[in-house]
Amino acid sequence: MKKYQTIEDTIGATPLVRLQRIPGDAGEPRGNVILAKLEGNNPAGSVKDRAASSMIRQAEARGEIKPGDTLIEATSGNTGIALAMTAAVRGYKMILIMPDNLSVERRASMTAYGAELILTPAKEGGMEYARDLADKMQADGKGKVLDQFANADNPLAHIETTGPELWQQTDGQITHFVSAMGTTGTIMGVGQYLRSKNSAIQVVGAQPAEGSQIPGIRKWPEAYQPKIYQPKQVDQFELISQDEAETMARRLAAEEGIFGGISSAGALVAATRVAAQVSNATIVFIVCDRGDRYLSTGVFN
């Protein structure tokens, strides 16, 4: 009998497409090309599908978890949705803890996959509070925390899949890799792989400017810095304002036909800044999720 794929088998191998209008004078006139990696094409809609599948599969392989167990994770949205999907496929109970100021689309997506959702008051600490609660629930024996912030299987997903895809899709011509920074799994994993192929490749991280709140882009307090994060692996940091990211999200959809999320647009802002400083470069940025995940926020109105 023919062996067919499961939904989990369709994670990865996402398209890489060229921007045509937004680069402007920083693009073709300078010999530059800006390419978008469309991670919203993953089955649960974001780049986090890769890490979620990796964390669960690797923990299974080590004998740390088995189908029927309860998994717990603090999330700002995309990782939670991806874990809820993977848990549904592989037979786990999933408890997700999320600040209550994040979009209703994210909440609905998690519960659609059968996850139990616990909302925490954003005014009491947002993601930091959610992470502390996840650790307490694990200590109380209510399940196992996968901990995307400290779990080496998060960047491993990008060392094994995203990085090799970008190298192959650009025929090894990539010169700059640009990514929003949240848990930092994507930028750490992809950066490590690409540098193993060409040490001259520049890794650029998008972080929020002071006072900006951009879903998926964080600058963590020292006590909550992700353990997987190695600052020296990022060559350049670009501070992105909330207004810049939201404006670029609208432009990306209206001018390029790419309906991406706000953090994706923040990464593009960083990519255009890089393009304005260099010549004859192949610049890749991650479109980490889809814009329809943010419709209720009014950003696209």
Side-chain angles (χ1 to χ4, degrees):
M1 181 182 290
K2 178 178 171 61
K3 187 174 178 0
Y4 293 94
Q5 290 185 321
T6 70
I7 191 71
E8 191 182 12
D9 295 325
T10 68
I11 295 172
T14 55
L16 185 69
V17 301
R18 174 176 59 89
L19 297 194
Q20 302 177 80
R21 297 176 183 83
I22 286 176
D25 291 340
E28 239 176 73
R30 299 182 66 94
N32 296 328
V33 60
I34 299 180
L35 302 171
K37 182 71 163 157
L38 303 184
E39 289 298 294
N41 284 36
N42 282 307
S46 83
V47 68
K48 299 297 188 179
D49 289 20
R50 298 177 189 260
S53 178
S54 175
M55 289 190 293
I56 290 180
R57 286 187 297 102
Q58 297 293 342
E60 269 185 10
R62 290 190 294 268
E64 297 171 1
I65 58 174
K66 63 184 185 305
D69 288 350
T70 298
L71 308 177
I72 303 171
E73 190 72 12
T75 176
S76 62
N78 283 331
T79 299
I81 295 167
L83 282 171
M85 178 198 73
T86 308
V89 173
R90 303 187 78 86
Y92 291 87
K93 298 172 186 173
M94 191 77 234
I95 299 174
L96 297 167
I97 307 170
M98 187 174 86
D100 61 7
N101 63 338
L102 295 169
S103 73
V104 295
E105 291 91 347
R106 293 184 177 205
R107 302 183 200 179
S109 296
M110 293 174 196
T111 55
Y113 285 118
E116 176 186 342
L117 182 59
I118 298 174
L119 295 177
T120 59
K123 63 184 180 183
E124 292 188 22
M127 273 300 295
E128 290 85 351
Y129 182 96
R131 287 169 65 179
D132 288 343
L133 179 56
D135 289 339
K136 182 179 185 304
M137 290 179 68
Q138 178 174 249
D140 292 342
K142 294 181 179 177
K144 176 176 174 57
V145 173
L146 292 166
D147 194 359
Q148 58 182 315
F149 305 95
N151 193 325
D153 298 326
N154 177 352
L156 178 65
H158 303 290
I159 294 169
E160 292 184 340
T161 67
T162 323
E165 287 173 29
L166 290 177
W167 184 255
Q168 183 272 328
Q169 288 171 314
T170 62
D171 293 327
Q173 299 302 303
I174 181 172
T175 59
H176 297 77
F177 173 69
V178 185
S179 176
M181 295 177 64
T183 66
T184 72
T186 303
I187 198 167
M188 289 292 101
V190 174
Q192 181 178 327
Y193 177 83
L194 292 176
R195 283 230 183 81
S196 74
K197 304 299 286 185
N198 177 0
S199 60
I201 291 172
Q202 296 292 291
V203 176
V204 181
Q207 292 189 316
E210 189 69 34
S212 293
Q213 293 188 341
I214 306 170
I217 305 183
R218 287 296 306 265
K219 195 169 184 181
W220 296 97
E222 191 64 36
Y224 291 89
Q225 194 90 269
K227 290 185 173 61
I228 58 174
Y229 175 47
Q230 301 174 48
K232 291 181 180 177
Q233 298 303 312
V234 181
D235 298 295
Q236 181 177 334
F237 297 91
E238 292 291 340
L239 297 180
I240 313 298
S241 74
Q242 186 170 341
D243 182 63
E244 284 179 305
E246 292 179 354
T247 298
M248 186 61 86
R250 292 188 287 270
R251 287 190 63 196
L252 186 58
E255 297 178 35
E256 299 285 353
I258 298 173
F259 193 20
I262 319 305
S263 60
S264 309
L268 176 53
V269 172
T272 58
R273 290 181 189 171
V274 170
Q277 301 164 4
V278 299
S279 300
N280 303 315
T282 299
I283 303 162
V284 175
F285 75 101
I286 296 286
V287 179
C288 48
D289 63 2
R290 298 190 301 255
D292 54 12
R293 205 153 272 181
Y294 304 87
L295 288 174
S296 66
T297 67
V299 166
F300 294 100
N301 292 352

